[in-house]
Every structure is written in C-alpha cells, then in structure tokens.
Amino acid sequence: MTLDKIREIISQMTLEEKASMCSGADFWHTEAIKRLGIPGTMVSDGPHGLRKQAQEGDHLGINDSIKAVCFPAGCGAAASFNRELITLMGETLGNECQAEGVSVILGPAVNIKRSPLCGRNFEYYSEDPLLATEIAGAMIKGVQSKNVGTSIKHFLANNQETRRMSSSSEVDERTLREIYLAAFEGAIAKQKPWTVMCSYNKINGVYAAQNKEYLTKVLRDEWGFDGYVVSDWGAVNARVEDLEAGMDLEMPSSNGVNDKLIVEAVRNGALEESVVDQACERILNIVYRFTENRDSNAVFDRDKDHEIARKIAEETIVLLKNDGILPLKENEDIVFIGKYAKEPRFQGGGSSHINCHKVTSACDAVAGMRNVTYAQGFNDDQDEVDEALMAEAVQAAKKAKVAVIFAGLPDAFESEGFDRSHMRMPNCQNELIRKVAEAQPNTVVVLHNGSPVEMPWINEVKGIVEAYLGGQAVGGACVDLLFGRINPSAKLPETFPLKLEDNPSYLFYPGEKDRVEYREGVFVGYRYYDTKKMDVLFPFGHGLSYTTFTYSNLQVDRESIKDNETVKVTVDVTNTGSRTGKEVVQLYVSDRESTVIRPVKELRDFAKVELQPGETKTVEFSLGKRAFAYWNTQIHDWHVETGEFELLIGKSSRDIVFTKTIQVESTVKLPVHYTLDTTIGDLMEDPNTKPFISELMKGSALFSDEPKEESTAASEAITKDMMMAMMKYMPIRGALSFGGGDMTVEDLKKIVDQLNNRV
Ligand code: BGC
C-alpha cells in the first residue's frame, strides 16, 4: 500500500484509535480496527525457530507453542561464517511464518558477547561486530525475501541478563560506535529489517525505549531505518516520552493504560498528534506490507525443514582439537557416553524455546550401527557424581576402541533471564571426562553449550568437538562429522579464554546494582586477548578441518589509497588434503601506528570457500574507509589516520598466514585549535606550525638541544634526550615559567592566535 493511502486511512482514525494502534492488541498481535478494515497481524519469537503461541502468550517460553523446527542457535549460526547458509535458514523461517500467518519473526539477536557469563550468549552471534552484523544481515535477507519481517534485537547495549530491565549500560561514545552499535549497523543499513526491537536496559542513564539519540538520530537519520521500532516485551517505561523518542509499537498490550496516556498528552498539548500519526504510519506500512504479500501456497513442511536444520547444523560444529583421532572408523568399537548422546542439549531456555516436532540425537543417528554402544555417565538435573553411572561408563570405555563423551552445560547453567556465575562445566561431567580419559586414551569430547567453558581435561583427551546448541537435528550432524561423512568447516565466533578471570569485562561484569560500566572499552574479546598477547584456550576464528588448506599469492590492486577509495585484496586458497572441504578466510586490519589507542587487529571481512582436493580458488575482498577507521569523538564520525596499515590474512585471529602493508591517506582534516596548554611537541608534529615554532624557539636557552659546555658531574645527567622530552611535553604557557621572563601572557596569546591562523 502506498504511503499516501496509509496516510488517508490514518486521517480517518480517531485519536483513540491511533493511540491503540501504538500498542499490541494482546501478547502477540498488532491492533485491528474493524471499522476501517485495518487488519491485525501476529508477531512471534524467534530467532532460531518459530515460537508461535496459539493460546496463552508469555515471553519466557512457559506456555506451549505450536510444533515447529528448531534450527541451530545464534552461537552456532555465527560459527558457520557462512552468509548463504544463514540466508537459507532465514528463507526457511520466512516460509514457515508465511504458512503460519506470522508477520514478523522476533530476531535475529545480535548483542555482542561481552562476557562469557551472559545467560543469553547462546542466542547471540559473536564478540565481533562485523561477524555479528553480517550473519544477522544474511538472516534478515532470507526471512524478508519471503515477505515476512524481522525484528533485529535487542537495541542497544543489552549484554547481560542481570537486572536486564533496569540496569544502565555505561558505555563511551567510541566503544558504542565501534562495538555495540556496529553489531546492528551493517545489517540495518544494508538489509533494512522491517522492525527493530529496543531493549529493556538503559544506555548511559536513559532507557533504550526513551532514547531518541539511538532510536531516531542513529537508527533513522543515519542508517535509514524505515520500519517500526517495537519494545521488548515490557520495555516501555514512559509511554509518551518513548513515543516521542521514536518507540512506535509497545508490546505486549498495556490493556489500554498507556493508550490513555497518549490520548491525554495530545489533548493537553504535551504531545504533537503528528508524532502519533507517524508511529501509526510506520506500523501500518509494515502491517500492509505483510498482509498484501501473503503467500497462500506456503506450507510448513516440518520434515523438510528438519533436513534443512541438519544441513545448517553441519556447518555450525567446530572441531577444536584433533590429535589424529577423528574421523572415527565406521566399524570400530565405539562407546557413546553421556546423557547428551541420547538427549542432546540443542537449544536454550526462555523466549527462543521451540516446541520441536522431532529431535535427532547422536544415539538415534547411530541406531543401525551395532559397533556403537551407549552409557549414560552422568545426570544433569543436579551436579553430583553418580558412582554407578560413572563406573558403568568407565567399564564401557575400557572395552571399546574409542570413547566419545557428549557433555556440556545443563539448562540450569545458562538461560535467558539470568547470567552464569562461572565458566565451568558441572563438576560431575568434568570428573567423568577425566575418569574415562584415564581408562581410554582414545577419548573424544563433544560439547553442547551456548558459551565458552573451561576445559581442565583438555590435555587428557584426543579430540574436542564444539557442537554448540545445534538445533533439533544436531545428533545426525554430529555423528556425520565424527565419522567424516562431512568435513568440519565452522570456526569459533568468540574466544575461549583459559579462565573467566582473563576476560576483559571480568572486573566490571555485571556491574554494581543498576549500573554496569563497560570500562574495557573497545577491547572486547580477541581485541583484548590479542593486543595483550595472552594465552587463550582457543582463539577467535579457530576451527579445524579433515583436510588442509594453503594460502598463496596475497595481492592488493594498489599499495596506496585515499580513505574515500577502496583497495581490492585477493588471495589464493588451495585444498592440499585429500577431502573436499570448506575454508573460512579471515581478513584483519591493523593500524601500524596510531595516535588513538586501538586493538592490534580487527576483523574486516571473511569468506567461506568450498574446495575439492587439489583445487585452488581466488578469494577477493574489497576494503573501504570503514576497514581502516576508528570512531573519532571530536568530529563524531569515522576517521582514518594517514599512515601504514597491515592487511592480515588468517585462519584464525592467532594464525595469520600473510601480511601486506598499504598506505592510507586521510582526506579529512580534523579541526585543530591550539591553546596555551598545547605542547611544543604537538606543534612540532603539525607541518603547518612546525616551521613557525622552530623559528620562534631558535636560540632559546631552554630549548637548545646543545649540551652546556660547562657541564658539571650533576648536570651530565641532563642528557639531550631528556631535554628533548622536556621540550616535547612543555605547554606553550611553560615559556612564562622557564623563558627567562621575556614573555608575557599577552605575548603568548598572540602566538597562539598566529598558530591557529596557520592551521
Ligand atoms: C525477550 C525477547 C523476546 C520477547 C518476546 C523478551 O523477554 O527479551 O527477545 O522476543 O520477550 O517473547
């Protein structure tokens, strides 16, 4: 429907009707206005499956939803590093929504994994904003290609569950731009989600729902968002102010309470009616975009989608360690140990919880293989060693050629609603792994968890497979990977630190009462670990394959660019092993010298390529300004400092294969204003002021760099270097104290004026 037509409809609505349009009719529907033929539409969770509640609604996954298909959660989806695959997931979900009459699926969820403790990390993509936003964009593209909307969430700086409805995330401007906003930015600007969900928390003291700076200035004015903003369920705190800030649709319904506030505010002149009109326009635009593009042929074929979930799961499982034990041989005696071999943990708790139409476990997937036996090993309802189960597992491990333990985090350890309090797996599972590995040197651990865990047994097992929360078809995908029927190709979208205390947010997470300071700034994840050269358990981007890849021929199409130009980077990748495989080529950029404090490297692009044995493909990247820029808080914009940058091609953030240096020249002149406090060193560094200041200081005893002739033993300590440093850090006003009384303040002010005229 055209905007003119929508405006015409709005002009026929009463103020009460318009106010009612700005909040849900119930838990899941937008308001319908029968009198004017305006339909209501349904929205549903999200993000990795359809949680459509036909009856009683809730936002915690308590009441039943329809039978649906659970795809790999965000943690695994990001590990695929595969945009096309996640677009396929989006297309599949979009089709399911069409079949079920759901206008918007509530996802993707892109919040940055600031700490491994965040209870919702399993739903989120990465510690890296580029990876997060690219995967989110791929998902949005897929869903919306089916004329169904997405709701990218939770905007903004919602990186913990502790006090999520009241805590204020205190984040500086540059960190917000480079890390937390950036996770949303690419996906929103490029893929235009139909809706954005604002988070519960405050950002620097202002509730997300009330934050005009982000909901209007950044989201709409800068990024061109043109859909509606919906509140997270219950995130509205001051309805009228929220509406003015750009928070269009309140969910769920406030049962008319907040609608009345809107009407009153318009009646008493506190709120312009045009603000209400505008919110209605945005909401109706999306409502009609859905209702006018219904696909009456769409069918929710659960079995077919289960197979798609399996195909996706295949690329979300990361092979972390392999001391030659994997792939397993099809006919040797193997024991699967652990509750999760029979009942995999494949999804997390809370609003993303899917009522699965079926689940394939690893045991289901080996049902026909008589050489594979099973022992439960542990319980996961409480963290206590069950001696009988443990003894049985150890016995079975001894008898077999290989033991594969399916372990991980129980639901009680990670979920929406609360954060983890440590990074450990249950003791009973760690104990079991140790005992089994003692009895059977050929032990492999398969992990089902949504976030990093400590691995005290890492050196005692030969193989480790990170299956994340791989969706309802995870068992089949795991078994295929273990037996080498598929070749692992996923990479870690986050660093696994050795221990929780190593995490940069450790000291400040989850904050004090209603306030959490993001004091680590831009040093999130590998940006911190790599800059500090710290040992980690597994680095960002790490993941093994059953084949080998070599890189060659790193080329750039130019060695020097201006910041408004692009550079093309190409590299050849060859499969040098004997199996077909996929490799994730990662491109990082490092600023060699910078006046601002920057991470040692940052991911700027990635590509996944499939190669037959012996095959070579050329991977191409194109880097523009953003790849070299940092957020400059003086001009409130992206800025590139002129200088050399290294382009790093890597297999992980710690396995850099090739490096190439290019020169980037800034086309933006930062505004300069010198004062009496400006140092001589800064003036000497500025080519515009250097000649003037050198001239001025000629002959000055203080600034002379010649050592004094009559130097005594004591004054010999006054070296040239020390004098130079003194000069460099001396403010202009220092001439008053050290200039021998020749200068007055007025003289110096004149000099400052002259300097400012030169820049
Ligand atoms: C969650 C959202 C979810 C909503 C609706 C909230 O509690 O934070 O992610 O979409 O509930 O279930």
Side-chain angles (χ1 to χ4, degrees), residues 28 45 51 59 120 153-154 164 197 200 232 416:
W28 299 119
D45 283 309
R51 187 173 74 94
H59 64 307
R120 253 182 132 168
K153 65 189 186 182
H154 312 86
R164 67 169 169 164
M197 187 190 293
Y200 290 122
D232 197 345
E416 178 176 342

Side-chain angles (χ1 to χ4, degrees), residues 253-273:
S253 154
S254 67
N255 298 313
V257 174
N258 281 337
D259 304 351
K260 277 201 195 94
L261 293 181
I262 295 174
V263 171
E264 271 165 34
V266 172
R267 294 253 153 82
N268 66 26
L271 179 71
E272 294 279 346
E273 190 162 351

